[in-house]
Amino acid sequence: MTTTAELTLFADYFQIHVSDADSDGDLSDAWTDQAVADHLAVAQDALGIGTTVNVNVSVTVVVLPQEPSDDSSEFDHVVEAGLDVSLGRLMVLGCTDYGPDAATFEVPPGWNRVRAARSNLARAAQADIDSDESPETTEQIRIQVWPAPESPVKIIKRWSQLSDELDA
């Protein structure tokens, strides 16, 4: 069965978090230089998804029974990582949000795969702190989750603000 939810999250410190609801979700050591470049910080039971803006972002969470097809051509930046969800409760929140108030989703206990696909990044970056005032400039993030064995981080598609500016 597929579950879908629409959220608006405050991307404080240019990030949102996806974690095991039963963990502390500590990513303090995970934001390495490589993680910043990949827009993805990884701990065993938590992921930090980097954002282009430090305001509200639109997030769609999709819990799937199996791996979805690759539609990365429709997005600006797409990354994947494994996440250990011990008791099957996944939490999605802004990094400074209060955990008990966060959106939670039922997933199979154990290892799951999380694919974060982000779009509208150039418009959001250009609008900066005003980006969340219009759907045309709001950063969009789709988070897909499905059961899968532990596996390494995968950068499917990389977006760079610099390369976008050079193309303009």
Side-chain angles (χ1 to χ4, degrees), residues 10-12 14 52-57 121-134 137-139 161:
F10 180 52
D12 206 6
F14 297 91
T52 301
V53 294
N54 190 38
V55 294
N56 286 331
V57 295
L121 303 185
R123 287 190 197 122
Q126 184 176 9
D128 195 27
I129 62 168
D130 297 324
S131 66
D132 61 350
E133 293 180 9
S134 166
T137 56
T138 300
E139 182 170 345
Q161 187 171 351

Side-chain angles (χ1 to χ4, degrees), residues 108-130:
W111 284 97
N112 284 266
R113 192 74 176 161
V114 177
R115 180 181 295 161
R118 299 169 44 228
S119 61
N120 215 23
L121 303 185
R123 287 190 197 122
Q126 184 176 9
D128 195 27
I129 62 168
D130 297 324

Side-chain angles (χ1 to χ4, degrees), residues 131-154:
S131 66
D132 61 350
E133 293 180 9
S134 166
E136 290 78 33
T137 56
T138 300
E139 182 170 345
Q140 309 285 325
I141 304 170
R142 183 187 66 193
I143 298 170
Q144 295 171 302
V145 183
W146 66 94
E150 181 181 8
S151 58
V153 168
K154 184 176 178 183

